[in-house]
Amino acid sequence: MADLRVAVDVGGTFTDVCIFDEESQIMRVTKVPSTPDNPMEAVLNGVARARIDLSEVELFSHGTTVATNALITRKFPKAAMVTTKGFRDVLEIRDGTKDDLWDAYRDVSGPYIRRRDRFEVSERIDYTGNVVEPLDEDEARQLAALLKKRGVDTVAVCFLNSYANAENEERMRAILTEHLPDANVSTSAEILPEIFEHNRFNTTVANAVLGPLVSGYVEQLDEKLTAGGYAGELLLLHSGGGSMTSTMVKKFPVRLAASGIAAGAIAAKHIAEQCGYVNAVGLDMGGTSTDISLISEGELRVTNEWEVEYGHPIVFPSIEVLTIGAGGGSLAHIDIAGSLRNGPQSAGAAPGPACYDRGGEEPTNTDANLWLNRLGTDLADGEMTLDRRRAEQAIRSTIAEPLGLEVDEAADSILKVANANMADAVRLVSIRRGLDPRDFALIAFGGAGALHGAEVARELSIPVVIVPPSPGVTSALGCLLVDIQHDLSQMFTASASEVDADDLAEQFRALESEGAERLRHEGVSDDQAVLERGISMRYQGQWRSLQVPIGSDPDALQAAVQTFHEEHEKQYAFRQDDTPVEIYQIHLKALGKTPKPSFRPENTAPQSPGEPVEVRDVYFEGRWIPTPVHERAGLAAGTEFTGPAIISQLDSTTVVPPNARAEIDEWMNIRIVLTDRNTASEPRTDHDESESAR
């Protein structure tokens, strides 16, 4: 009987594999170098290295960077856009904003489809959905013939006001399909039936350009897994924190544009819940970047509008993650003003840090950690041997000599700049929203997160750092903790006090019917389907709305209005109970429950860590200190020790600095408590809440 659950997360430097055996309750992990030119190769290499018998796999879940990388590199297939006459340049005009308001010479990058490939046809629908001008089918057929002649692989059909009536878009799709039967056609009314044409058009265009790329990747991987003996559905994690089958991914590939990033945030939430913390910051530091997520009052923050590049919004629910260019491979350099900088440039998987001895000559965070002996010379269970001499040469020539520093000081400075960058990013997601980092726990994971977690926490006066059992593959674990999920929406504008309740209920039922059909299409039985309603509202006169949950009982709308007032006060620090509230949009989250790992806590008994595997001098705060090095596999639940200490394992290395104490908890996490005077007391836990309630 198949009882293995496998998750694979593709990162910029390494591809992580997590295997959970439900019968034995044992989790195995492995890492292999990523293959940027063909990510599927790394996935299959990971499966082979982990010696997974695919016929014994019940569930295979995958977080991928294929869509994200395609939007960044813009290596798209031949694509075209068809729009209403007069609206060809909506993508170019955007909303008129700039990422850097004060830089007159820095322009926003161009649209995903160039102007020469954007075409107009005669048609018009008004804002109420009335057909003002039917689609000119002669023009449409001439355009379809032209696109066929050009060899176009994918088309985005974006008509004005199609969210109110998709008739003309559907007819255009039919004509395109007649002439281009093998092309991928995305219509804006199907992808995002919402007002605001720039957001809708850009999301549809992103979906169109990603279609052939993602479809090809998913089809090939699906075929390889099936040939290897896997009999289930390939599930792919999407930005909203759920998963999709390969069939639905081909229809909505844009949902994968933040796939891998969401996995780490989901895993961080799971670990916080295990440890009883209602407030936590996830610090996912990989080889190329660091992803920072925030869990507040037990919930991850979700945004409905985000972007891979500024000016090109993607309007689908997405877990809110802040990504900065700080990873193990981030390059240290001196800027034109003579200041030490760290990132965002990265050595990547090839050539990699200087210590990889693969041609890299500039120092990275990995080189600095290696030289300061915080990192051992073996990486990924002997998959790679690191060269300290190469690291020293890179640090000396690039940083130490130009700044007049010793190599030790230069390496320490490189890490301090990296830690300061990450601390600043945490401040952006917390203090900027009125949240005090000292009330949070820091969950440090990723290949390099456990190396830096304690120092980042100290920078922010965060009192507790949690390092999960397999920090280097924790993002992959996140792929095993999600359900199949679809997010649907529909415009519905009306006054909350005067709305026709029957009409509102009918619109919700229509969304629920579509959501249930999508889940059935993905093999989800009705008893495993969960449909959650949501509603976006705003005060009369506003244009920005706020989404809140809504039930299905007769008084649900009144309760939702009250929730809206409360959430508005939390988000914007004011409420206006006497101001009329407008309904703006209705939403539905369709969930298909999938099997998940069931973890058992270990029995804890206070004990010492025993004899270290070695004692080596490690550089902390200006001096070399003899530091014990322990293998994590030899540390049982309940083990307690004080810093400094180094904990090594296959997928990561944990640094416990001086003035810190650590223990292995019942979930096999390392909990590091910083004992400096400037750190706060431990953050609030679920236990604290229950005590205060009494």
Side-chain angles (χ1 to χ4, degrees):
M1 181 179 176
D3 55 9
L4 297 182
R5 291 167 194 167
V6 178
V8 180
D9 181 56
V10 178
T13 307
F14 283 102
T15 291
D16 306 327
V17 184
C18 176
I19 310 103
F20 185 81
D21 189 325
E22 185 63 36
E23 183 178 355
S24 66
Q25 293 282 294
I26 293 174
M27 188 166 72
R28 295 188 292 121
V29 300
T30 193
K31 295 173 80 74
V32 294
S34 292
T35 50
D37 292 336
N38 183 6
M40 184 177 66
E41 185 179 332
V43 175
L44 299 176
N45 289 344
V47 169
R49 182 175 174 79
R51 297 179 181 175
I52 299 169
D53 183 347
L54 289 170
S55 65
E56 297 180 356
V57 175
E58 178 187 13
L59 182 145
F60 194 105
S61 186
H62 178 28
T64 176
T65 55
V66 169
T68 313
N69 292 341
L71 292 177
I72 292 171
T73 61
R74 294 184 174 235
K75 294 180 179 178
F76 301 138
K78 284 189 176 181
M81 172 185 173
V82 182
T83 188
T84 305
K85 185 166 287 186
F87 291 86
R88 179 185 184 187
D89 294 318
V90 164
L91 295 180
E92 207 94 39
I93 297 168
R94 300 178 295 99
D95 58 4
T97 63
K98 296 176 65 173
D99 190 18
D100 189 342
L101 182 63
W102 308 109
D103 190 343
Y105 298 98
R106 184 179 179 185
D107 293 326
V108 175
S109 59
Y112 294 136
I113 295 179
R114 300 170 300 178
R115 193 172 195 272
R116 72 184 72 169
D117 298 318
R118 303 196 300 263
F119 302 91
E120 299 177 345
V121 292
S122 299
E123 72 84 35
R124 195 59 179 262
I125 288 173
D126 69 15
Y127 73 98
T128 62
N130 294 319
V131 178
V132 177
E133 181 181 358
L135 174 68
D136 188 321
E137 297 200 6
D138 290 336
E139 282 186 23
R141 293 183 187 281
Q142 291 173 12
L143 176 55
L146 175 62
L147 297 181
K148 181 179 181 180
K149 187 176 180 180
R150 288 192 175 193
V152 168
D153 297 316
T154 182
V155 185
V157 180
C158 305
F159 288 168
L160 195 69
N161 295 326
S162 61
Y163 68 89
N165 182 349
E167 178 182 332
N168 286 352
E169 277 195 353
E170 289 301 321
R171 185 59 193 141
M172 186 72 222
R173 184 215 288 269
I175 292 171
L176 288 169
T177 303
E178 288 176 15
H179 290 75
L180 303 164
D182 297 325
N184 175 80
V185 180
S186 298
T187 64
S188 71
E190 180 181 36
I191 302 302
L192 189 72
E194 297 183 11
I195 200 172
F196 297 129
E197 55 268 18
H198 174 236
N199 290 352
R200 177 160 48 89
F201 287 12
N202 197 82
T203 303
T204 307
V205 164
N207 195 78
V209 297
L210 291 174
L213 297 171
V214 171
S215 295
Y217 173 80
V218 170
E219 282 178 6
Q220 291 178 47
L221 180 57
D222 214 351
E223 289 171 3
K224 293 283 187 182
L225 295 176
T226 302
Y230 178 54
E233 287 276 11
L234 169 62
L235 297 181
L236 292 104
L237 188 75
H238 63 65
S239 60
S243 59
M244 303 166 68
T245 62
S246 55
T247 303
M248 294 304 292
V249 164
K250 294 171 189 175
K251 194 172 183 179
F252 301 102
V254 71
R255 298 230 60 186
L256 297 188
S259 171
I261 295 173
I266 293 162
K269 179 176 181 290
H270 167 74
I271 293 162
E273 288 174 348
Q274 270 191 339
C275 296
Y277 291 105
V278 294
N279 295 326
V281 174
L283 184 81
D284 181 3
M285 184 180 183
T288 306
S289 61
T290 295
D291 301 322
I292 295 168
S293 53
L294 187 80
I295 300 102
S296 178
E297 300 299 329
E299 296 295 332
L300 283 162
R301 292 185 63 88
V302 175
T303 179
N304 286 323
E305 183 179 326
W306 49 283
E307 58 219 353
V308 174
E309 284 185 279
Y310 187 85
H312 307 293
I314 295 173
V315 187
F316 271 119
S318 175
I319 292 174
E320 194 171 67
V321 177
L322 177 62
T323 300
I324 64 169
S330 293
L331 298 172
H333 59 281
I334 298 171
D335 65 16
I336 58 174
S339 298
L340 175 61
R341 301 288 183 182
N342 193 301
Q345 301 86 355
S346 174
C355 60
Y356 283 14
D357 199 14
R358 293 178 175 175
E361 297 181 353
E362 296 179 85
T364 65
N365 293 326
T366 299
D367 295 304
N369 277 308
L370 179 64
W371 177 252
L372 298 180
N373 267 343
R374 300 182 180 192
L375 193 62
T377 54
D378 283 340
L379 203 62
D381 197 26
E383 181 81 13
M384 192 177 294
T385 300
L386 306 183
D387 188 333
R388 289 190 83 233
R389 184 178 56 84
R390 291 282 187 187
E392 180 195 11
Q393 289 174 351
I395 296 168
R396 183 184 299 279
S397 61
T398 306
I399 305 299
E401 291 179 351
L403 294 179
L405 300 173
E406 295 297 325
V407 175
D408 301 346
E409 295 175 298
D412 190 45
S413 299
I414 289 170
L415 297 185
K416 284 182 176 177
V417 172
N419 293 336
N421 289 342
M422 288 184 279
D424 284 344
V426 174
R427 291 185 183 101
L428 282 177
V429 301
S430 57
I431 295 175
R432 187 176 66 176
R433 297 193 173 100
L435 302 171
D436 190 339
R438 294 174 297 181
D439 296 332
F440 287 69
L442 183 73
I443 301 171
F445 58 102
L451 276 166
H452 293 254
E455 295 297 340
V456 173
R458 183 169 282 159
E459 181 95 10
L460 294 159
S461 298
I462 290 176
V464 179
V465 179
I466 301 168
V467 180
S470 301
V473 297
T474 296
S475 287
L477 172 64
C479 296
L480 294 179
L481 301 171
V482 300
D483 295 310
I484 292 174
Q485 177 181 320
H486 292 284
D487 298 285
L488 296 84
S489 63
Q490 181 65 51
M491 295 302 300
F492 187 96
T493 54
S495 169
S497 60
E498 300 174 2
V499 66
D500 184 328
D502 292 336
D503 187 22
L504 179 61
E506 181 62 30
Q507 294 294 331
F508 268 121
R509 283 193 291 270
L511 282 186
E512 287 171 339
S513 176
E514 183 181 349
E517 180 58 34
R518 287 193 189 184
L519 292 177
R520 281 192 288 269
H521 187 67
E522 297 197 285
V524 177
S525 60
D526 289 346
D527 62 325
Q528 294 297 310
V530 177
L531 305 177
E532 299 177 355
R533 294 179 177 185
I535 188 166
S536 289
M537 293 185 282
R538 59 191 179 185
Y539 288 123
Q540 194 173 60
Q542 288 183 331
W543 70 279
R544 289 193 181 276
S545 59
L546 191 63
Q547 183 179 333
V548 296
I550 184 173
S552 55
D553 56 88
D555 298 325
L557 182 57
Q558 292 179 358
V561 170
Q562 184 60 34
T563 303
F564 166 75
H565 289 305
E566 294 168 358
E567 288 299 316
H568 197 280
E569 186 173 25
K570 288 180 183 177
Q571 293 265 1
Y572 304 112
F574 77 95
R575 59 189 289 170
Q576 296 175 324
D577 294 64
D578 297 331
T579 301
V581 174
E582 290 182 330
I583 299 172
Y584 171 70
Q585 197 173 35
I586 61 174
H587 308 268
L588 183 79
K589 181 184 291 185
L591 298 171
K593 297 298 182 180
T594 59
K596 300 178 185 63
S598 54
F599 299 96
R600 285 197 300 256
E602 300 287 336
N603 294 321
T604 58
Q607 56 188 292
S608 68
E611 290 297 315
V613 294
E614 67 168 310
V615 176
R616 66 174 182 243
D617 289 340
V618 180
Y619 194 86
F620 289 106
E621 295 300 328
R623 59 195 179 101
W624 292 90
I625 301 175
T627 302
V629 179
H630 299 277
E631 285 290 342
R632 187 160 185 179
L635 301 178
T639 300
E640 299 175 347
F641 50 95
T642 58
I646 302 293
I647 316 297
S648 64
Q649 60 190 102
L650 167 110
D651 57 310
S652 189
T653 297
T654 302
V655 173
V656 182
N659 298 318
R661 54 184 172 83
E663 65 172 341
I664 309 298
D665 69 14
E666 68 272 28
W667 303 105
M668 301 305 291
N669 302 305
I670 302 175
R671 297 202 199 193
I672 303 171
V673 179
L674 302 174
T675 55
D676 301 48
R677 285 179 298 176
N678 65 328
T679 55
S681 58
E682 283 211 34
R684 181 164 56 89
T685 65
D686 289 332
H687 176 72
D688 297 332
E689 281 194 327
S690 60
E691 288 295 322
S692 63
R694 295 176 189 172

